[in-house]
Every structure is written in C-alpha cells, then in structure tokens.
Amino acid sequence: MPNGFQGGCLCGAVRFESVADPKIVAHCHCVDCRKSSGTGHCTHIVIPDDAFSVSGEVTFYDRPADSGNIVSRGFCPTCGSAIYSKNSGMPSMVFPRASALDDPNVVTPSMVVYASRAPAWDHVDPALPSFPETPEGGPEKVIADHG
Ligand SMILES: [Zn+2]
Ligand SMILES: [Zn+2]
C-alpha cells in the first residue's frame, strides 16, 4: 500500500500530490540542474505520470538534455519555486523536485547522476551508487531495475 506524498511551491499557488511512492530518488549534478536549482544539484523523485496530480499554474522551460530528449522544467510563475520536470524520452514518468515536498524526509535518495559535473564544493554522497553521467542504458533501465 503506497503512502504517496504531497508538496507545493513557496507561495502556495501550486500544490501537487502523488498517490505512488517514489520509484527512484536521484541527486543530479548536471549543469542544467545546478543552474536551475540555486545550488549544486537537484534532487528528483521519479514516479508514474498517472499517479501525479498538480493544481495551480505551472510554467515550463524546455531545454534539450545530453540525450537529445527535451527536459521541461516546471516552476511557479509567481514565486519561482521548482515543482517538477518532464522528459520527452520518458513520457509516462514525472519528476517532482524533492525541494518542493511538504515533508522532505518522506523520500530517501537512492543514486547520484552526473557526479562528474558536481562542483568541488557540493557533497556527493559516497554511500549512494554514483554515475559519472547517466547510468548505462539510460534512466529507463534504472527504473526497470528498481521498479
Ligand atoms: Zn509559488
Ligand atoms: Zn540534472
């Protein structure tokens, strides 16, 4: 029986809920995540799209990833908080940001990706499986392995 989780932006205009527990929780140290996060990395939750619901206006910024897939980063147009991302290569999944959770401790990070791009001052957890870039086979393979 999944417990799910809830979150939202800083101003409260955007709220989201997942009825599924996270499949994967990954720290990503890629440059795009650093620049959009306000710090050294993003922490992404991976869940099925059909378990996720969101209320309030979300603005998306689209940008291609290394893979050529388009990553759409959703944020609150009022307060700027990152809410969730989508990836054109994984249309059945969504990626809520752990930073937006009401209770950030409902998730436990399970891996580190793009560790090779982490700034020297950002902590890369040595206890987690760590990939220099994306895992071999792509995130879909990891989801299949962890699902
Ligand atoms: Zn907001
Ligand atoms: Zn990233």
Side-chain angles (χ1 to χ4, degrees), residues 44-112:
H44 301 283
I45 304 164
V46 183
I47 54 166
D49 176 61
D50 60 10
F52 186 70
S53 57
V54 60
S55 63
E57 184 187 353
V58 178
T59 300
F60 286 92
Y61 173 66
D62 295 347
R63 187 174 160 85
D66 281 1
S67 59
N69 294 329
I70 301 297
V71 175
S72 302
R73 290 180 159 79
F75 57 93
C76 172
T78 301
C79 69
S81 303
I83 307 296
Y84 73 109
S85 301
K86 299 184 282 192
N87 185 316
S88 65
M90 290 186 285
S92 64
M93 309 302 289
V94 292
F95 308 88
R97 289 279 187 93
S99 57
L101 290 168
D102 291 341
D103 176 4
N105 295 314
V106 298
V107 296
T108 303
S110 52
M111 69 170 66
V112 179

Side-chain angles (χ1 to χ4, degrees), residues 27-34 42 44 73 113-114:
H27 298 306
C28 182
H29 292 269
C30 82
V31 172
D32 290 3
C33 283
R34 171 167 58 81
C42 291
H44 301 283
R73 290 180 159 79
V113 299
Y114 285 104

